[in-house]
Amino acid sequence: MNHTFTFTIDGVEVRGRPGQTIMQAADEAGIYIPRLCAHKELVPHGSCRVCTVFVNGRPQSACTQPAAPGIIVENETEALLAIRRSLIDMLFVEGNHFCPFCEKSGNCELQALAYRFGITAPQHPYLFPKRDLDASHPDIFIDRNRCILCGRCVRASRDLDGKNVFQFVGRGPGKRIAVNAKAALADTDAARTDRAVSACPVGAILRKRVGYAIPIGQRMYDAAPIGSDIEAVRADPHQ
Amino acid sequence: MTKTNAGQRIVIEPVTRVEGHGKVTILLDEHRKVKHARLHIVEFRGFERFIQGRPFWEVPVLVQRLCGICPVSHHLAAAKAMDRIVGGEKLTPTAEKVRRLMHYGQMFQSHSLHFFHLVSPDLLFGFDADPAIRNVIGVAKKFPELGVQGVMMRKYGQEIIRITAGKKIHGTGAIPGGVNKNVSIEERDFLLKDLDQMVVWSRAAVKLCKDYTMEHLAELAPFGSFDSNHLALVREDGAMDLYHGNLRAIDAAGKKIFDQLDYQEYADHIAEEVRPWSYMKFPFIKALGPEKGWYRVGPLARINTCDFIDTPEAEAARKEFMAVTKGAPNNISLAYHWARTIEILHSIEKIKELLHDPDLQGEDLVVKGPRREETVGLIEAPRGTLFHHYRINSNDQVVMANLIVSTTNNNEPMNRAVTKVAEDYLAGVTITEGLLNRIEVAIRAYDPCLSCATHALGAMPLEVELRAHTGELVDRRVQA
């Protein structure tokens, strides 16, 4: 009880515990800090930078930065919104994201963030990269056109599934998700129920033949914007 | 408009009130008479190529992007094809009825758009009326009740699509082997609220078209008309069925060319001819060859081809329609509109039947069975028979796709209609406003919507070129 401390996010006093990141403390307080590579069950990665906040005036990723007594965190500011918009925008143009027919539409965190940020069309030019598919596995489909290199599959496969199916290869624009096999996903021990599959925030790793089984209107982000579940905690402190 | 002194070629470009854009070339012979006219459409869309490699369950949602007016037709044709891939072609009663409701809603809204928004200005104001008033705004101003009917009927069909597919345009309702939702009691009651009004307006639309056609029959009968074969899906008992059935083809006199043909075997009986001047192919019945085997599809072909319609008011209307030609097939191009309104009435009667069917609220939505790797999905889309043919590999990816869309099926008939109009209305070597308008009227009878076979960007203008037998451009006119 006495091990807690306080700090502020956008002027709101938030309670933190030693060992917590800013994002974890914010989640408990019902303050949503946007994120993509962060996942509650995975170790922080700090790669997408969407959760960037200003801590005492310096930019830090909220998913990796420890909460500390008395720090002043800025989250929902115009400047940060502009940075986050730009990051999301770049992720869209860097891949081939065709939301109109993507089966992840409505359940996609990238799309949901774009909606939350009011992005209707990218400001940067599309790169239209040539990316490949891997349909070799009987139950899992990889569409690298939609991969945002968040690394959730890498961490989930290693830490939750204990398999190490996925790994990054290449650098810079050539960086991509590869599988730990000579040829294709079918040659790994990946399984339909792997957490690495469900952890993908976009439509890059999918369970085959599920498609559009969830009707429009019942998908994850049809009714409320991404982050609403966290913000509901603040609206109802007893939750 | 452009013109040269030497010679004899006319071009009509960008056709108005037709989605997509088209160009007509009229070629004259040495005696400056019309040799033939050709409708050019920017036909290349690329869907058949770029869906290769995509997973099969994605296809019904992906290919419907071909069109914003009739996406449901592509959605359902592809879904019917993919039903067979997952071995689920025998749908549950709920799945089949939800899909049928979606389809009749689509037919109702698309035909209403076609008739009220795009065609009625020609009928109400006359083909020669000033284009400034001969449009849907003009209709709304001079005939406000009719304008409202058109808008509200389209809206009603769109609401059906929203409820069954999740969105008014480009929904996701049909999935391989079934549907992803049923129709709740609340949704059904929402649709029942305006149903009776829709029936009344549908009857009125049939009457409007019938009265107009009968009053102007002498003028309409030869307009862009010609004898042709007709092709459509019919039910096993010969009834019109817009969602599912077997193929029947008849000749201009009504004699059956083939009947109850399983459309999985369409490729054995129908081929597509490539002509050097167009990327859009020309389908024909193999047994008759490309010269004689081409056919019409769409409302006129469906009414001509079926033995009866299984809803009472539309059947009564069909009998009146067939009485004009004493029971023989009707080959009048502008009779498409009357036939179209009969299908509006049929669709709303079917919608009424379905909305009172408790199967819509069933919970059994998807079936699966033995897997296949090749499949054909066919449906009667608003403009005509729509073919989707796919091959899927063992990794669930599309490796081959062939789509024969309604506009492609009507390619030769549209060219014939334009040629006939050019023969009858071209005076000298000048493209008059009257000729331009009439060419558009002829195209619109078949299809206001070239976008499904073509690429559409923004407004759809028509360009007409008149060329001499030497190939020299004589005149050119653009409808913006």
Side-chain angles (χ1 to χ4, degrees):
Chain A
M1 195 72 155
N2 293 331
H3 296 301
T4 61
F5 55 82
T6 60
F7 64 100
T8 64
I9 300 179
D10 295 332
V12 176
E13 191 172 273
V14 173
R15 194 167 290 277
R17 294 189 302 277
Q20 265 189 327
T21 62
I22 292 174
M23 183 180 283
Q24 286 166 336
D27 282 359
E28 282 184 11
I31 295 172
Y32 175 63
I33 299 174
R35 79 227 32 198
L36 268 176
C37 70
H39 187 284
K40 275 188 175 171
E41 296 173 72
L42 300 172
V43 291
H45 200 232
S47 61
C48 76
R49 316 310 288 181
V50 172
C51 70
T52 297
V53 291
F54 286 114
V55 180
N56 295 340
R58 295 181 60 190
Q60 303 282 359
S61 57
C63 71
T64 53
Q65 183 69 17
I71 55 170
I72 297 167
V73 177
E74 293 169 67
N75 176 38
E76 275 198 29
T77 68
E78 278 302 316
L80 280 166
L81 181 61
I83 291 169
R84 289 169 183 162
R85 270 201 187 119
S86 201
L87 288 167
I88 296 297
D89 197 314
M90 285 190 281
L91 288 172
F92 268 104
V93 301
E94 199 175 59
N96 298 309
H97 298 275
F98 299 108
C99 298
F101 66 83
C102 178
E103 65 189 86
K104 194 82 172 191
S105 252
N107 296 311
C108 170
E109 294 180 39
L110 180 69
Q111 182 194 49
L113 280 171
Y115 278 130
R116 184 171 173 122
F117 295 154
I119 299 172
T120 51
Q123 302 300 307
H124 298 92
Y126 287 105
L127 299 183
F128 295 121
K130 189 163 170 48
R131 306 251 185 100
D132 58 357
L133 312 173
D134 185 341
S136 63
H137 194 282
D139 294 320
I140 303 166
F141 185 82
I142 300 178
D143 186 347
R144 292 189 175 87
N145 290 292
R146 302 165 180 162
C147 180
I148 56 171
L149 301 175
C150 67
R152 280 194 195 175
C153 56
V154 177
R155 287 172 283 153
S157 184
R158 181 190 63 211
D159 301 337
L160 303 180
D161 301 327
K163 290 185 176 178
N164 268 323
V165 168
F166 298 100
Q167 195 51 267
F168 287 121
V169 294
R171 296 186 68 81
K175 188 170 179 175
R176 60 190 278 275
I177 282 287
V179 294
N180 244 334
K182 272 188 182 167
L185 189 64
D187 307 314
T188 70
D189 55 354
R192 188 177 182 83
T193 50
D194 281 0
R195 304 293 287 279
V197 178
S198 54
C200 180
V202 291
I205 305 177
L206 296 160
R207 292 196 177 101
K208 279 187 168 181
R209 299 175 294 279
V210 172
Y212 310 85
I214 304 173
I216 294 169
Q218 296 174 29
R219 300 171 306 183
M220 202 175 301
Y221 305 117
D222 280 339
I226 188 168
S228 299
D229 53 337
I230 292 170
E231 289 168 332
V233 174
R234 194 172 170 202
D236 178 10
H238 302 295
Q239 193 175 311
Chain B
M1 184 166 82
T2 59
K3 193 170 178 180
T4 68
N5 293 327
Q8 287 119 28
R9 179 163 171 161
I10 292 178
V11 185
I12 299 186
E13 59 187 330
V15 192
T16 51
R17 271 185 283 138
V18 181
E19 265 294 309
H21 51 272
K23 176 176 154 180
V24 171
T25 305
I26 303 167
L27 190 66
L28 304 178
D29 63 17
E30 294 132 11
H31 311 293
R32 296 198 164 187
K33 296 282 179 203
V34 173
K35 190 175 174 191
H36 61 236
R38 285 169 173 171
L39 173 63
H40 308 267
I41 302 166
V42 185
E43 299 90 350
F44 184 71
R45 295 295 303 273
F47 274 76
E48 288 154 324
R49 177 64 188 87
F50 66 66
I51 64 168
Q52 288 178 20
R54 301 306 310 172
F56 73 79
W57 56 88
E58 202 176 71
V59 173
V61 174
L62 201 170
V63 293
Q64 65 176 335
R65 295 273 164 179
L66 270 159
C67 184
I69 297 178
C70 302
V72 169
S73 306
H74 289 288
H75 182 55
L76 289 177
K80 285 179 75 177
M82 297 315 162
D83 290 344
R84 294 179 56 81
I85 294 296
V86 300
E89 67 272 20
K90 180 76 186 142
L91 298 178
T92 66
T94 299
E96 166 142 0
K97 286 171 186 174
V98 169
R99 281 197 191 176
R100 279 184 176 271
L101 181 61
M102 192 193 303
H103 189 49
Y104 291 120
Q106 152 78 15
M107 198 62 83
F108 190 73
Q109 70 84 13
S110 177
H111 275 357
S112 297
L113 171 81
H114 192 158
F115 178 66
F116 288 98
H117 297 60
L118 304 170
V119 168
S120 75
D122 297 329
L123 309 190
L124 297 168
F125 296 112
F127 302 165
D128 287 319
D130 180 0
I133 59 153
R134 192 167 45 92
N135 55 52
V136 69
I137 304 295
V139 172
K141 279 184 181 160
K142 189 154 181 210
F143 307 94
E145 280 184 23
L146 210 60
V148 168
Q149 282 176 27
V151 170
M152 297 309 285
M153 287 170 76
R154 175 138 202 261
K155 179 172 187 292
Y156 188 77
Q158 296 281 48
E159 292 294 350
I160 292 176
I161 296 168
R162 178 184 62 78
I163 284 168
T164 51
K167 284 202 305 179
K168 289 179 182 172
I169 304 172
H170 300 140
T172 62
I175 57 177
V179 292
N180 65 13
K181 75 183 285 289
N182 63 10
V183 175
S184 69
I185 296 280
E186 295 73 32
E187 289 168 332
R188 180 202 65 188
D189 290 348
F190 170 79
L191 293 173
L192 282 174
K193 205 159 38 72
D194 293 326
L195 179 67
D196 291 343
Q197 181 64 71
M198 295 302 145
V199 174
V200 171
W201 285 344
S202 301
R203 280 182 202 133
V206 175
K207 183 171 184 318
L208 175 72
C209 253
K210 180 187 128 191
D211 292 349
Y212 174 85
T213 309
M214 297 311 290
E215 196 181 321
H216 298 84
L217 195 58
E219 182 195 351
L220 299 189
F223 184 91
S225 295
F226 46 86
D227 284 355
S228 78
N229 306 312
H230 300 268
L231 177 103
L233 283 179
V234 291
R235 216 165 61 182
E236 282 179 9
D237 60 1
M240 170 188 277
D241 195 329
L242 302 174
Y243 176 76
H244 191 62
N246 296 314
L247 282 169
R248 173 184 285 177
I250 58 169
D251 67 16
K255 191 171 155 242
K256 290 189 179 74
I257 302 165
F258 53 67
D259 194 14
Q260 298 300 337
L261 180 72
D262 179 355
Y263 61 69
Q264 296 303 321
E265 297 160 18
Y266 86 95
D268 295 336
H269 301 270
I270 290 169
E272 293 177 276
E273 185 194 9
V274 175
R275 296 185 193 169
W277 55 271
S278 176
Y279 285 115
M280 189 154 75
K281 293 177 185 173
F282 290 79
F284 63 93
I285 296 163
K286 280 184 179 176
L288 300 177
E291 283 299 314
K292 292 185 175 169
W294 54 275
Y295 50 83
R296 279 168 162 138
V297 296
L300 183 71
R302 291 191 284 254
I303 300 258
N304 280 334
T305 307
C306 73
D307 297 331
F308 67 101
I309 300 178
D310 69 344
T311 54
E313 294 199 45
E315 171 60 5
R318 185 194 71 87
K319 283 180 175 159
E320 286 185 327
F321 179 92
M322 296 308 290
V324 174
T325 49
K326 300 184 172 53
N330 185 322
N331 287 293
I332 302 171
S333 281
L334 287 183
Y336 261 95
H337 299 316
W338 185 1
R340 189 167 289 119
T341 54
I342 295 171
E343 289 190 344
I344 290 178
L345 185 57
H346 172 59
S347 297
I348 201 68
E349 287 183 287
K350 279 290 188 188
I351 289 165
K352 188 174 185 177
E353 213 174 85
L354 285 163
L355 287 177
H356 287 99
D357 190 327
D359 278 344
L360 281 188
Q361 282 80 50
E363 300 284 341
D364 199 2
L365 303 182
V366 178
V367 283
K368 296 206 169 148
R371 189 188 152 95
R372 293 188 184 85
E373 296 210 330
E374 184 156 1
T375 178
V376 179
L378 226 79
I379 202 161
E380 284 296 335
R383 317 283 173 257
T385 319
L386 170 64
F387 298 63
H388 279 213
H389 181 186
Y390 304 100
R391 263 202 302 277
I392 312 295
N393 68 14
S394 57
N395 284 339
D396 297 328
Q397 294 171 287
V398 176
V399 290
M400 186 285 291
N402 186 36
L403 312 180
I404 310 178
V405 301
S406 319
T407 305
T408 303
N409 280 312
N410 267 337
N411 194 1
E412 179 67 25
M414 285 197 293
N415 276 280
R416 297 264 170 165
V418 170
T419 300
K420 180 73 167 37
V421 169
E423 285 168 354
D424 292 347
Y425 293 94
L426 178 67
V429 289
T430 305
I431 306 167
T432 59
E433 181 76 22
L435 175 66
L436 193 65
N437 291 344
R438 280 170 174 77
I439 287 176
E440 285 183 25
V441 166
I443 295 170
R444 232 172 357 249
Y446 291 84
D447 210 325
C449 189
L450 306 176
S451 67
C452 140
T454 74
H455 167 78
L457 260 184
M460 206 265 12
L462 175 69
E463 173 190 341
V464 178
E465 273 185 8
L466 183 64
R467 286 197 182 267
H469 68 286
T470 55
E472 190 174 357
L473 186 69
V474 182
D475 196 7
R476 179 173 173 274
R477 192 170 180 125
V478 179
Q479 189 94 295

